[in-house]
Amino acid sequence: MKVVIVGGVAGGATAAARIRRLDETAEIVILEKSGYISYANCGLPYYIGDVIKEAENLTIQTPDKFWSRFRIRVEVNHEVTDIDPEKKTLRVKDLKGQREYEESYDKLILSPGAKPLRPDFPGGDSEKIFSLRTVEDTLNIHRFIEENKSQSAVIVGGGYIGIEVAENLREKGLDVTIIQKPNQLMNTIDYDMASFVHKEVRSHGVNLKLNSNVTGFAEEGDQILTLLEGECGQEKISSDLVLLSIGVQPENELAKKAGLDLGLKGSILVNDKMETSKPDIYAVGDAIQVKHFVTEEDAHIALAGPANKQGRIVADNVCGGHSHYQGSMGTSIIKIFDLTVAATGLTERGAKAAGLDYEPVFLFPLSHAEYFPGARAMAMKIIYEKKTMRILGGQILGAQGVDKRLDVLAVAIHAGVKADKLKDLDLAYAPPFSSAKDPINMAGFIVENIEKGLVQHYYWHQVEELKTRENVTLLDVRMKDEYDHEPMEGYINIPLDDLRDRIGELDPKKPLYVTCQSGLRGYVASRILSQKGFEVYNLTGGYMLYASLMREKKINLQTHPCGKEIFS
């Protein structure tokens, strides 16, 4: 059996190595258009920022190593230009030797990945405008900055790559501006959680231009101007270089030529065995359409983890096995300066779009036992379906312990653990690492309390409307010094510890809307008051979440010259 794989990196290289482990006699060939067969895609921004100092450290495997260990023939700088599914042949162009030849196959695996979107902007062909996908792209950007002693950069796009490059360039000393068409960074989290990301990014000196649409570019001397049209009219930003990071699209030219069925965004349609619409042709990685694990709807999710799993599955099936891909949840994590941001499953926005009856809960637990030095608060948002209690998704931000909690959530979603059963998980505890009641357990407690009717919630976006109502009482149960330091307009302050003694100050005929710093004391106050006959609602996420959103609102008003509010 001769297996030809088009494209290396995560999916292709993984498939090749697995095939060899399953079949010592197979002839395996990898054809890679770039000069590198297996490299650390996710590490590319860190070379630009000199965190990874040696370019060779980006290379995971080389053609020689692949041959020595696996007897796999790897041809880099070889572009496959055409596929003939009937003859089972490929047309290959040697980009270095400038020759073309035909390569036959018994089984063909396509792993071409996804390419950065690069719209046809006026002035977009400038040599000062870059995209980031390959090692070559990284080397070119790094070289440009060093040779030109660049002092400023504009990043168009606030996704993972854009933010990581922005962080690395800022740490390198450049003035950095991120331009984002939507009103928030990162579409993998909701606006309320993104407000904490915005604060972190701004606190490190990165300028954010949200709700701003790039219309083109122009060179002015040794500078490049990024032309914008936003909520407040036209604007231009001058910088030494620009990085376009506005998303990716599946690399599907070969698939189209071969007549393969295509799906979302032009991605290659495959079944759960990674088989395309043509016999003996498979596809994996960022180029394919998958099923979302939570909704079972079609999706395009370009991440390294799924690509590696798909590479293993396709290898099994090429070798006569029966492995099946169960779908993608989009589980992801990113370092943003001193903040870790992680997400899995659906956002609240996604749950709403899917027409699900869901409930979001917020909490701000400490990363480990409070009495042990160095405990830091995390922001957690869990979304669950009310009728079935299944966990739909989660988002966690913080300085410590984010990754392990997010991974627990991802496992819980995959295993079908109900949201209230998070309280029952037996998780590791020692003071430097967690609390006896782990944050994941605490999320389960909150869900259980809601579903048992022990607490009713209201949300940050309802606060402003509540302030206009005369038939309600707004109550803040924080300590007096907390309230005095950061008062919540419209709320009266009765500290939780004084509440039982001062309950006579409250009108039992009016619904009570309670808040505290993070929601915990508000819950305790709700239990006291509800048992005294009050109708009580607790602000989920408390003042910490509300204040973050109000800060974002204030900054939006200050930073947009027209004074227009850009707020969700």
Side-chain angles (χ1 to χ4, degrees):
M1 177 176 66
K2 180 179 180 182
V3 183
V4 177
I5 302 170
V6 180
V9 197
T14 297
R18 174 73 170 171
I19 291 169
R20 174 57 73 225
R21 290 193 293 271
L22 296 176
D23 187 344
E24 185 64 21
T25 65
E27 180 184 356
I28 308 170
V29 181
I30 301 178
L31 301 170
E32 168 61 41
K33 183 178 178 180
S34 77
Y36 299 86
I37 179 58
S38 182
Y39 55 89
N41 300 65
C42 300
L44 300 182
Y46 297 96
Y47 178 74
I48 294 172
D50 295 326
V51 176
I52 298 173
K53 298 187 180 299
E54 304 297 332
E56 51 266 30
N57 290 338
L58 296 171
T59 304
I60 298 171
Q61 287 284 0
T62 66
D64 288 343
K65 287 181 180 178
F66 252 76
W67 178 256
S68 297
R69 177 154 297 182
F70 299 111
R71 289 300 187 268
I72 293 172
R73 176 162 63 91
V74 176
E75 303 287 0
V76 294
N77 299 122
H78 279 60
E79 180 182 7
V80 177
T81 59
D82 216 342
I83 302 171
D84 188 331
E86 302 301 322
K87 294 182 179 178
K88 301 181 87 168
T89 60
L90 307 173
R91 193 69 188 165
V92 185
K93 184 177 182 180
D94 180 349
L95 300 177
K96 288 286 183 73
Q98 292 301 309
R99 69 183 182 94
E100 294 192 21
Y101 64 94
E102 194 173 82
E103 185 86 58
S104 65
Y105 67 85
D106 296 312
K107 304 285 186 181
L108 176 64
I109 301 172
L110 301 179
S111 179
K115 58 186 176 182
L117 285 169
R118 189 147 182 168
D120 189 21
F121 290 118
D125 57 352
S126 169
E127 293 182 355
K128 295 181 174 65
I129 301 175
F130 300 89
S131 295
L132 181 58
R133 178 190 183 189
T134 65
V135 173
E136 288 91 343
D137 294 334
T138 307
L139 299 178
N140 288 337
I141 296 170
H142 189 275
R143 187 182 305 112
F144 181 91
I145 292 171
E146 296 302 315
E147 290 178 355
N148 294 279
K149 296 181 170 38
S150 301
Q151 298 298 310
S152 58
V154 163
I155 313 293
V156 182
Y160 280 56
I161 293 295
I163 292 174
E164 287 175 341
V165 173
E167 175 188 354
N168 277 276
L169 292 181
R170 186 73 191 113
E171 298 283 19
K172 200 177 173 75
L174 277 70
D175 292 327
V176 179
T177 298
I178 299 177
I179 299 170
Q180 177 79 328
K181 188 174 182 179
N183 67 341
Q184 69 167 82
L185 300 177
M186 299 181 63
N187 64 6
T188 55
I189 60 177
D190 289 310
Y191 182 82
D192 39 34
M193 299 296 274
S195 66
F196 296 101
V197 175
H198 298 170
K199 179 184 178 183
E200 181 72 12
V201 169
R202 289 189 180 109
S203 72
H204 284 82
V206 175
N207 182 35
L208 288 186
K209 302 289 290 185
L210 304 174
N211 277 86
S212 297
N213 188 35
V214 173
T215 58
F217 303 93
E219 293 201 28
E220 186 175 77
D222 59 355
Q223 295 282 287
I224 183 162
L225 303 179
T226 302
L227 310 178
L228 305 179
E229 188 170 78
E231 296 283 343
C232 304
Q234 296 181 338
E235 192 179 351
K236 58 185 179 182
I237 300 175
S238 177
S239 63
D240 294 319
L241 72 147
V242 170
L243 176 77
L244 290 180
S245 181
I246 55 178
V248 297
Q249 62 185 23
E251 187 70 77
N252 63 7
E253 287 303 313
L254 275 177
K256 285 196 290 188
K257 285 184 178 181
L260 303 183
D261 291 345
L262 304 178
L264 288 176
K265 299 182 181 179
S267 55
I268 304 170
L269 279 181
V270 296
N271 60 20
D272 61 0
K273 296 181 71 175
M274 305 290 109
E275 296 169 326
T276 70
S277 57
K278 296 287 186 182
D280 296 321
I281 301 180
Y282 303 76
V284 298
D286 295 352
I288 70 168
Q289 177 176 294
V290 297
K291 293 291 184 184
H292 196 287
F293 185 84
V294 177
T295 64
E296 297 185 355
E297 294 178 352
D298 295 333
H300 178 245
I301 299 174
L303 290 169
N308 274 281
K309 296 178 186 69
Q310 293 155 13
R312 181 183 177 88
I313 288 166
V314 77
D316 289 351
N317 294 326
V318 162
C319 294
H322 298 282
S323 292
H324 301 267
Y325 188 61
Q326 298 184 29
S328 298
M329 289 193 297
T331 305
S332 58
I333 190 166
I334 182 175
K335 172 188 174 296
I336 306 176
F337 294 101
D338 299 321
L339 190 68
T340 302
V341 181
T344 188
L346 296 180
T347 58
E348 183 177 355
R349 183 177 62 251
K352 188 178 296 183
L356 299 172
D357 183 18
Y358 67 90
E359 182 86 17
V361 296
F362 297 87
L363 60 158
F364 291 85
L366 294 176
S367 55
H368 60 248
E370 183 174 10
Y371 61 83
F372 193 89
R376 302 279 295 276
M378 296 183 290
M380 295 178 61
K381 180 177 185 178
I382 311 295
I383 303 155
Y384 70 95
E385 188 175 30
K386 297 186 72 171
K387 183 177 180 180
T388 65
M389 296 295 288
R390 66 177 177 141
I391 306 167
L392 301 175
Q395 302 157 44
I396 309 178
L397 294 75
Q400 305 166 351
V402 169
D403 51 346
K404 77 171 186 173
R405 272 69 183 218
L406 195 282
D407 284 341
V408 170
L409 274 181
V411 170
I413 293 173
H414 193 89
V417 176
K418 303 300 183 183
D420 59 333
K421 299 305 180 184
L422 292 174
K423 66 183 174 56
D424 299 323
L425 297 182
D426 192 354
L427 304 174
Y429 162 63
F433 305 106
S434 185
S435 299
K437 297 176 183 177
D438 188 86
I440 291 293
N441 298 137
M442 292 171 67
F445 296 153
I446 294 173
V447 173
E448 183 184 54
N449 289 338
I450 293 171
E451 295 305 314
K452 286 187 174 181
L454 295 176
V455 66
Q456 298 182 88
H457 280 149
Y458 69 107
Y459 301 93
W460 63 266
H461 53 80
Q462 298 175 295
V463 171
E464 296 308 301
E465 188 272 331
L466 286 170
K467 290 179 182 179
T468 67
R469 291 169 54 181
E470 295 181 357
N471 63 333
V472 301
T473 300
L474 305 182
L475 174 65
D476 190 327
V477 297
R478 290 179 293 167
M479 300 295 289
K480 186 177 184 303
D481 58 345
E482 292 178 275
Y483 178 84
D484 290 344
H485 179 61
E486 293 181 298
M488 201 159 169
E489 181 186 354
Y491 284 71
I492 62 173
N493 177 228
I494 301 179
L496 176 61
D497 294 344
D498 300 337
L499 184 58
R500 291 181 179 86
D501 296 330
R502 296 176 58 183
I503 205 166
E505 298 176 26
L506 302 171
D507 185 348
K509 296 179 181 179
K510 291 183 178 181
L512 271 169
Y513 289 83
V514 179
T515 189
C516 64
Q517 190 70 5
S518 66
L520 179 57
R521 282 175 288 176
Y523 165 65
V524 177
S526 296
R527 293 304 305 144
I528 294 170
L529 293 163
S530 64
Q531 292 178 79
K532 296 291 185 180
F534 287 85
E535 179 185 347
V536 192
Y537 301 87
N538 184 33
L539 180 60
T540 183
Y543 177 77
M544 289 177 71
L545 181 63
Y546 173 77
S548 182
L549 273 300
M550 292 305 102
R551 179 177 58 247
E552 188 69 15
K553 178 180 180 179
K554 182 178 180 181
I555 290 172
N556 283 332
L557 288 170
Q558 292 174 340
T559 57
H560 287 80
C562 62
K564 185 171 181 178
E565 183 176 310
I566 301 170
F567 188 58
S568 288

